[in-house]
Amino acid sequence: MKTDFEKRYQRAPLHRPAEKVSARVRAASEDLAARLHKQPDRLVSLPYYEELFTTEKRKKELQILNRKVVGTYCYFAPEELIYASGDVPIRLCSGHSDTITTAEELLPRDICPLVKSSFGFPILGDGWIDACDVIALPTSCDAKTKLGEYLADYLPVWMINLPKIKNYDGLKEYWLKEIKLFLHKLEELNGKKVKAPELKNALQLLKRRAELYRAMYELRLAHPLLLSHQDLLMVVQSSFYDDLPRWINQTELLYNEMKKASATGKYAAKGKRLMITGAPIIWPNFKILNIITELGSTVVADDMCAGHQRLWDYAEPDEWTLEGMLEAVAARYIFPSVCPCFTTSYDRIDKILHLAREAKVDGVIYHDLRLCQIFDMEKDLVVKVLKENQIPVITLHTDYGQEDVEQLRTRIEAFLEMIL
Amino acid sequence: MITAGVDIGSVGTKALILEDGKILSTEIMPTGSRPKITAQMVLAKALAKVKLKPDDVRHVVSTGYGRRVVDFGEKTITEISACAQGVKFLGAPKGTVRTIIDLGGQDIKVITLDDEGNTKDFVMNDKCAAGTGRFLEVIAHALEIELAKLGELALQAKQTITINATCTVFAESEVISLLAQDVKKQDIIAGIVDSIAERIAAMSNKIGMRPTVAFTGGGAQNIGLVKSLEKKLDTEMYIPELPQFINALGSALVAQRLQSLR
Amino acid sequence: MHTITYIRRGVQILSLTFLFYGATLLHLKPTEIKWYAMQENSRQATELLYGNPTWTQPFQTFLPARSCRFAGTHGTFRGCLMFFFSDILTWRPPLGVVLPSLALVVVLMVMLARFWCGWICPLGFMSELLYEARKYLGLKRIRFSAPLRNLLKAVGWGLTFIILFSAWFISWSAVAWSIKKPLYLAVCQMCPSKLITPALTGFPIMINLTFPGASTTLLVSLFVVLVASTLLYFSGFILKRAWCKICPLGVILSFFNQGAFLSKEKDLIRCTKCAVCASACPMETSTVYEEKTKKYVNHSQCIHCYRCVDLCPEKKCLTVKFLGLPLFKS
């Protein structure tokens, strides 16, 4: 299988299977699932999604499935193309803190916890990466750019050369080429060409997912507690792993249940309506959300790449020719992205202002993941503009560890007292 | 109508007894490893000072990082709100307070207040202890000087040296290497104090500091730091009489409001 | 889904039928227009006599742009806006005579600007059918690069200038007949409609590369331009609305796109900058995407097809308004 790293120099892949660490990883998922399970008045369709995180069912299914599994990172790996090729995308971005120490044997300490956490899994020989045939890795930030060479020790890696400047005319041609190159790699992997009808199906499948998410989002604006934000992120993030048609069926059930439950009127927001922006909050690193819930407030919106952003946008081709669809796929990943890896934060600021306005938030929480420089550097202007718009905002500078929960609680509680 | 405020900080636990806006007594103890018991003890001591029984106290409100461990409090508030309430109550002889700098054991907080004296915005240091009371403690230990004398010694410095490290651990090593170069302790202390002041000044400027600035918390007892900070911020600061008890005062005030609501 | 496009297609079919076959279908008799080229009997120009000039026919100037004179007796109106302007410049009628028609034209242009191009113009509609056929065949589309688009824009301006200048130039009696003859209604000599409209309506296609007393060089040069523009028109098969990018009528209407009553507005905050609008634009303008500080997003080349509004994935992000009244919303 082709890889972007031709191995001129070799590093022996590090394998450190550790049952203790793996057990801690499982326990973290189970604890969170149990915690979510105990939420009052929780909808009955939700335990389905927990299973994807707490059991190995889906992983085993993937291993016996006669389809190639493409591990992806970030917002930018084009899912449409992977589905059109008949393959399955699995997102490898992880929120487990327990694998970080494992990864630090190879990776430097001072890099983003998301990258370290995800890289712990191949070393452990555990997690979703076990089921993957190849990894698609966009060069979205410095850590991801360099992660490819490390991952290449374990699996073939395809890097996706992500541009950094959103300049319409120049970028769309360049990025379309990159998308076509990715499609070509997929075609080589599967030994067959992707035809327009297949791509059309994939586009429509993902559009269906987006429409479903949008419907849920709109329902949640008035009744945010239909799904606590933890549950919402769980539902969103389970779509990265589940069989998508099945996920859509299940989520349609969930949506119908939400619609019915909204009529009871008991799912209005409690306490303050908050919005989370910034670095992704990935299962099971829901500590901030849990603190907010404990303090009696409600998160009603987010703009995260592992949350709202990932499912909101879809490819909308002007014409359903192969070229037209590829153009739409290319545009869909770059232009609406609010990832701070692009040179300007303006698009992201607009997005936050819009969500804050639409969801009528009382305050914004800026989740600043330690050692994620790009989110940190965008913070200043984002915070300034939000304050100019009379939207209170607080920055939480934290990582995947649990040791600062009390400090975070104090900050969030003080913030909630402040916006009284 | 007697109320009490208990502030369980990372270093010291403080209690303050308030009767209708008059401070009856205060008490402080090191928090130690069992904050729950310390909190009970410090409250009991404060009451004993003015010969009161626990039953005389109508309401207790707790604050500080250990606010949730105490079982006698009726309400908890964060130290940010408590601090703002305390400063608002005391008023300021130097003008209306618009910014509070609070230097505690493990936190530096800068709080800005709106025209009504309510919290408008605040910043705190990250989980790192650089520049906090703990930092001063470590340095005092390395220099074998009592914490309380640090401030006055800083004022006796003859030359200015710059401490580059902001991390507590690295700053300690830097101090030790300066001692090895035979630099005078006073100069080192002045350097340390300056580096903390610099950090606080940066935080204050970032959040948009407006005079009058109040300086509270244990750090405000360090006269060297006060002078250095005043120079850096280019403003005279208001330091309340009992800077360590502001948070406890704030929560006792909140407790009085519980009463009036009833 | 895509409601606006469906409505627009309906309007386009109706207007093509009306403009090309309306006279036949409704038993209307369009007024005959006499002009230079038709004086073939005497093989002479009648410079003084001009029967039924366009400006005396208010019905024919009712639209800011009308069907082509090459629709023959089938069409409802004779001659487009360029025809009208050229005639005025060539014959210089008294202002009082021409003013009512001119005023009507200007009012309509101020109201609707290039709305004509996207909804009424039969040529534009047929060029859209060309690319619909390509889509059906699944063939690849080619986009104009930015420099080429700028070049085409310049060519359009150049053509417009030549057409209007030549119309005014031949009005001087001192100009020789050999020049006057070929340059009369230069717009029609270069317009692809001269070949396409007759092909659809059965009107005879007239191409004279020689004419007594007229400069053959000029006639041939104009014919070369005609061939080039027709080729450009048919390249619309793979390049969307290729001719429309230089159409002189479009150039004139485009002056009114900014500030017309019909206007497109964008909710700057709601917009996710997904650039679907830019990829959907048949004129390949990207103003709707690029404009991030002002809510009015009317590009001079916008043909008001509202494909961007139709495809915009964000509810209520793009709005088409007529004098502030919303017509269409995304």
Side-chain angles (χ1 to χ4, degrees):
Chain A
M1 213 176 288
K2 270 207 177 150
T3 173
D4 285 358
F5 297 91
E6 39 155 328
K7 301 269 170 177
R8 235 174 316 142
Y9 301 102
Q10 208 88 26
R11 171 172 47 202
L14 178 68
H15 289 291
R16 285 262 191 283
E19 195 32 55
K20 260 191 195 164
V21 182
S22 294
R24 280 214 305 276
V25 167
R26 276 196 302 277
S29 281
E30 278 158 15
D31 287 352
L32 180 58
R35 186 191 182 109
L36 296 182
H37 211 79
K38 276 186 258 165
Q39 294 173 104
D41 295 324
R42 196 168 182 242
L43 304 185
V44 295
S45 318
L46 285 166
Y48 169 85
Y49 303 96
E50 288 164 16
E51 272 194 7
L52 278 154
F53 296 97
T54 53
T55 70
E56 301 257 290
K57 256 188 353 205
R58 174 64 178 158
K59 195 171 143 188
K60 292 208 173 93
E61 187 185 53
L62 284 170
Q63 278 160 342
I64 54 167
L65 206 66
N66 198 18
R67 286 164 82 182
K68 295 273 192 294
V69 179
V70 183
T72 65
Y73 279 89
C74 282
Y75 173 88
F76 303 99
E79 283 179 290
E80 283 87 349
L81 304 187
I82 300 173
Y83 281 118
S85 319
D87 302 337
V88 187
I90 291 287
R91 186 157 168 185
L92 297 173
C93 297
S94 155
H96 282 280
S97 64
D98 300 293
T99 53
I100 289 181
T101 328
T102 312
E104 278 173 356
E105 194 171 334
L106 266 182
L107 290 177
R109 253 189 88 238
D110 291 345
I111 57 165
C112 118
L114 191 154
V115 164
K116 282 190 290 187
S117 166
S118 330
F119 188 65
F121 285 101
I123 299 179
L124 282 172
D126 196 3
W128 294 104
I129 199 166
D130 247 12
C132 294
D133 295 297
V134 61
I135 289 171
L137 180 58
T139 57
S140 41
C141 61
D142 285 355
K144 296 258 170 61
T145 305
K146 299 307 292 175
L147 180 65
E149 207 170 86
Y150 285 86
L151 284 170
D153 294 340
Y154 301 87
L155 280 173
V157 175
W158 301 338
M159 297 303 289
I160 299 171
N161 198 354
L162 190 74
K164 300 278 156 91
I165 304 172
K166 278 197 203 173
N167 148 340
Y168 183 72
D169 268 331
L171 194 141
K172 72 172 187 214
E173 276 153 43
Y174 165 74
W175 179 242
L176 181 61
K177 267 187 206 152
E178 193 65 29
I179 288 282
K180 284 181 179 168
L181 189 68
F182 184 74
L183 181 65
H184 182 67
K185 287 173 180 168
L186 280 168
E187 285 173 341
E188 265 189 352
L189 175 74
N190 296 293
K192 68 177 174 68
K193 286 254 169 214
V194 168
K195 298 203 179 61
E198 293 159 344
L199 188 54
K200 188 176 178 182
N201 284 341
L203 255 67
Q204 282 170 337
L205 185 72
L206 289 178
K207 185 172 177 178
R208 179 79 202 103
R209 181 180 77 175
E211 283 169 349
L212 203 52
Y213 175 76
R214 286 177 179 221
M216 294 205 298
Y217 165 80
E218 267 168 31
L219 206 51
R220 262 189 99 237
L221 285 178
H223 314 277
L225 280 175
L226 282 171
L227 286 184
S228 66
H229 215 76
Q230 291 95 313
D231 278 338
L232 180 77
L233 287 186
M234 177 183 75
V235 172
V236 167
Q237 289 170 15
S238 65
S239 78
F240 307 159
Y241 308 107
D242 203 359
D243 177 51
L244 200 50
R246 189 167 63 203
W247 184 90
I248 287 174
N249 285 340
Q250 190 63 38
T251 309
E252 266 163 3
L253 292 180
L254 172 67
Y255 175 64
N256 290 334
E257 198 192 347
M258 283 170 73
K259 240 180 10 196
K260 244 179 250 158
S262 67
T264 64
K266 61 179 174 184
Y267 293 100
K270 278 191 195 128
K272 300 280 171 307
R273 296 171 67 97
L274 299 175
M275 173 183 169
I276 298 218
T277 178
I281 289 179
I282 301 175
W283 179 283
N285 175 35
F286 286 3
K287 61 178 177 183
I288 290 178
L289 300 173
N290 289 339
I291 293 169
I292 294 170
T293 311
E294 280 169 21
L295 293 172
S297 282
T298 316
V299 178
V300 289
D302 75 77
D303 74 336
M304 295 181 299
C305 67
H308 182 86
Q309 271 307 102
R310 180 60 169 177
L311 263 53
W312 183 262
D313 294 301
Y314 57 86
E316 179 70 72
D318 176 41
E319 49 181 64
W320 294 86
T321 52
L322 193 60
E323 183 80 7
M325 285 188 273
L326 286 174
E327 271 182 14
V329 169
R332 171 243 185 284
Y333 282 100
I334 291 282
F335 298 111
S337 166
V338 295
C339 181
C341 65
F342 293 104
T343 44
T344 139
S345 57
Y346 304 157
D347 291 355
R348 174 154 171 250
I349 292 173
D350 281 352
K351 182 89 189 184
I352 299 172
L353 286 176
H354 165 59
L355 285 172
R357 187 175 70 177
E358 192 168 66
K360 300 189 181 70
V361 304
D362 301 311
V364 172
I365 290 182
Y366 194 111
H367 176 224
D368 197 0
L369 206 52
R370 187 177 296 273
L371 296 166
C372 178
Q373 295 99 326
I374 43 183
F375 269 115
D376 212 359
M377 289 192 75
E378 277 201 352
K379 184 179 66 190
D380 188 62
L381 188 62
V382 173
V383 167
K384 180 174 179 289
V385 174
L386 283 175
K387 282 183 182 163
E388 278 167 6
N389 281 275
Q390 273 79 47
I391 301 170
V393 50
I394 183 181
T395 309
L396 299 178
H397 203 77
T398 179
D399 56 22
Y400 283 5
Q402 293 293 316
E403 70 275 12
D404 60 347
V405 166
E406 286 308 313
Q407 275 113 323
L408 289 175
R409 189 190 308 279
T410 300
R411 282 160 178 72
I412 298 172
E413 198 174 340
F415 180 63
L416 292 172
E417 282 169 356
M418 189 182 96
I419 57 181
L420 199 67
Chain B
M1 250 163 284
I2 298 168
T3 59
V6 183
D7 173 16
I8 303 103
S10 61
V11 175
T13 297
K14 286 80 76 177
L16 183 142
I17 314 292
L18 193 72
E19 184 176 19
D20 299 331
K22 213 179 102 221
I23 298 169
L24 293 182
S25 80
T26 60
E27 185 57 56
I28 179 164
M29 278 172 80
T31 303
S33 58
R34 299 163 85 182
K36 194 171 168 179
I37 293 168
T38 314
Q40 274 166 349
M41 280 169 61
V42 81
L43 182 60
K45 271 193 173 177
L47 288 168
K49 264 191 189 171
V50 281
K51 301 198 173 64
L52 283 171
K53 291 189 292 297
D55 289 347
D56 298 332
V57 181
R58 284 287 291 272
H59 301 283
V60 184
V61 169
S62 63
T63 185
Y65 97 97
R67 65 189 174 283
R68 299 191 317 142
V69 301
V70 300
D71 44 13
F72 48 77
E74 284 163 64
K75 187 181 157 71
T76 64
I77 58 166
T78 61
E79 44 274 44
I80 288 112
S81 307
C83 191
Q85 294 289 336
V87 169
K88 184 182 169 185
F89 174 77
L90 288 179
K94 288 179 184 166
T96 326
V97 174
R98 291 281 176 267
T99 311
I100 306 169
I101 295 168
D102 181 81
L103 185 59
Q106 63 178 11
D107 292 314
I108 309 171
K109 308 177 202 64
V110 182
I111 307 165
T112 55
L113 305 178
D114 63 16
D115 294 336
E116 275 89 51
N118 300 317
T119 316
K120 196 172 93 186
D121 202 357
F122 65 91
V123 278
M124 289 169 86
N125 60 317
D126 314 326
K127 23 182 191 180
C128 171
T132 62
R134 172 76 66 204
F135 180 78
L136 283 173
E137 228 175 61
V138 167
I139 299 301
H141 179 81
L143 294 171
E144 293 178 314
I145 291 173
E146 263 179 72
L147 186 58
K149 285 187 183 155
L150 226 49
E152 271 163 41
L153 284 172
L155 294 178
Q156 298 165 10
K158 297 260 161 28
Q159 60 173 32
T160 341
I161 53 160
T162 318
I163 303 286
N164 297 308
T166 45
C167 169
T168 309
V169 179
F170 290 137
E172 191 183 358
S173 337
E174 197 171 342
V175 165
I176 288 166
S177 63
L178 284 170
L179 286 175
Q181 289 165 29
D182 210 17
V183 179
K184 275 198 173 156
K185 280 185 185 180
Q186 285 91 327
D187 297 344
I188 298 176
I189 295 166
I192 287 286
V193 159
D194 274 349
S195 84
I196 296 178
E198 192 116 336
R199 216 177 131 79
I200 296 174
M203 279 170 80
S204 315
N205 290 333
K206 189 158 189 168
I207 199 173
M209 176 206 80
R210 292 192 298 165
T212 306
V213 181
F215 191 16
T216 69
Q221 291 169 326
N222 184 323
I223 181 72
L225 183 56
V226 172
K227 292 285 171 237
S228 174
L229 200 51
E230 281 184 339
K231 215 193 279 171
K232 293 242 154 54
L233 293 175
D234 199 21
T235 175
E236 223 179 309
M237 288 195 299
Y238 159 62
I239 293 144
E241 231 170 279
L242 297 164
Q244 281 174 293
F245 290 94
I246 298 301
N247 296 356
L249 171 65
S251 39
L253 284 165
V254 170
Q256 288 211 322
R257 215 167 312 145
L258 284 179
Q259 182 126 349
S260 57
L261 280 175
R262 206 165 268 186
Chain C
M1 284 306 283
H2 305 339
T3 336
I4 301 174
T5 306
Y6 286 127
I7 299 174
R8 192 167 66 92
R9 286 279 182 263
V11 173
Q12 282 177 322
I13 291 169
L14 281 177
S15 53
L16 181 132
T17 318
F18 184 61
L19 291 173
F20 275 6
Y21 307 107
T24 311
L25 293 174
L26 302 171
H27 304 291
L28 285 175
K29 260 200 179 160
T31 330
E32 277 299 323
I33 301 173
K34 290 179 187 170
W35 76 98
Y36 267 137
M38 296 307 280
Q39 301 286 341
E40 274 189 80
N41 299 337
S42 60
R43 304 220 152 196
Q44 282 294 321
T46 45
E47 290 187 35
L48 298 171
L49 245 181
Y50 188 83
N52 302 319
T54 37
W55 58 82
T56 62
Q57 302 159 22
F59 185 55
Q60 294 206 354
T61 52
F62 188 67
L63 289 170
R66 298 157 296 158
S67 77
C68 181
R69 67 177 165 119
F70 295 107
T73 51
H74 304 289
T76 320
F77 313 107
R78 292 258 185 95
C80 69
L81 189 70
M82 289 309 285
F83 187 119
F84 175 64
F85 282 146
S86 300
D87 256 7
I88 291 178
L89 285 168
T90 304
W91 301 105
R92 303 204 215 145
L95 199 62
V97 178
V98 78
L99 202 61
S101 295
L102 198 60
L104 185 65
V105 166
V106 170
V107 165
L108 282 168
M109 289 201 292
V110 168
M111 273 165 61
L112 300 169
R114 285 192 80 168
F115 180 79
W116 158 267
C117 304
W119 291 68
I120 317 284
C121 177
L123 271 197
F125 176 46
M126 287 187 297
S127 90
E128 282 185 10
L129 292 184
L130 278 179
Y131 66 73
E132 289 297 334
R134 175 190 50 80
K135 273 192 220 172
Y136 183 75
L137 294 171
L139 295 177
K140 194 174 153 177
R141 164 195 189 175
I142 294 173
R143 283 181 189 271
F144 288 105
S145 62
L148 192 58
R149 279 204 311 273
N150 290 336
L151 179 71
L152 285 176
K153 199 172 172 182
V155 170
W157 281 64
L159 266 184
T160 313
F161 176 76
I162 290 169
I163 287 162
L164 295 179
F165 178 78
S166 65
W168 171 79
F169 181 67
I170 60 171
S171 71
W172 298 96
S173 51
V175 178
W177 163 249
S178 62
I179 294 170
K180 271 187 185 180
K181 167 61 192 115
L183 282 184
Y184 180 59
L185 282 177
V187 57
C188 295
Q189 315 298 334
M190 300 190 274
C191 177
S193 182
K194 188 181 179 181
L195 301 176
I196 293 155
T197 308
L200 267 160
T201 56
F203 196 67
I205 295 174
M206 288 171 296
I207 295 163
N208 297 328
L209 292 184
T210 54
F211 195 82
S215 154
T216 311
T217 323
L218 257 182
L219 281 172
V220 171
S221 326
L222 284 167
F223 181 69
V224 170
V225 178
L226 174 67
V227 171
S229 59
T230 311
L231 282 176
L232 180 66
Y233 183 86
F234 280 104
S235 74
F237 184 63
I238 47 166
L239 298 148
K240 280 194 178 174
R241 283 205 176 236
W243 162 256
C244 304
K245 277 156 187 136
I246 67 164
C247 175
L249 168 54
V251 169
I252 291 195
L253 291 177
S254 69
F255 287 112
F256 296 87
N257 252 355
Q258 315 275 355
F261 291 179
L262 198 59
S263 145
K264 211 161 41 186
E265 289 174 25
K266 167 163 115 169
D267 186 332
L268 294 164
I269 302 270
R270 195 175 279 273
C271 170
T272 63
K273 288 87 187 164
C274 67
V276 164
C277 44
S279 83
C281 181
M283 295 300 281
E284 289 171 73
T285 68
S286 48
T287 311
V288 182
Y289 164 71
E290 305 266 6
E291 181 61 71
K292 282 155 190 161
T293 51
K294 290 194 276 302
K295 65 173 183 174
Y296 295 103
V297 284
N298 303 301
H299 189 270
S300 66
Q301 287 197 307
C302 169
I303 55 168
H304 294 260
C305 69
Y306 310 137
R307 184 76 177 149
C308 47
V309 184
D310 216 7
L311 289 190
C312 176
E314 301 311 311
K315 277 186 195 163
K316 292 184 264 173
C317 178
L318 290 177
T319 318
V320 180
K321 286 185 177 169
F322 185 79
L323 276 177
L325 279 167
L327 293 182
F328 297 114
K329 264 186 189 148
S330 60

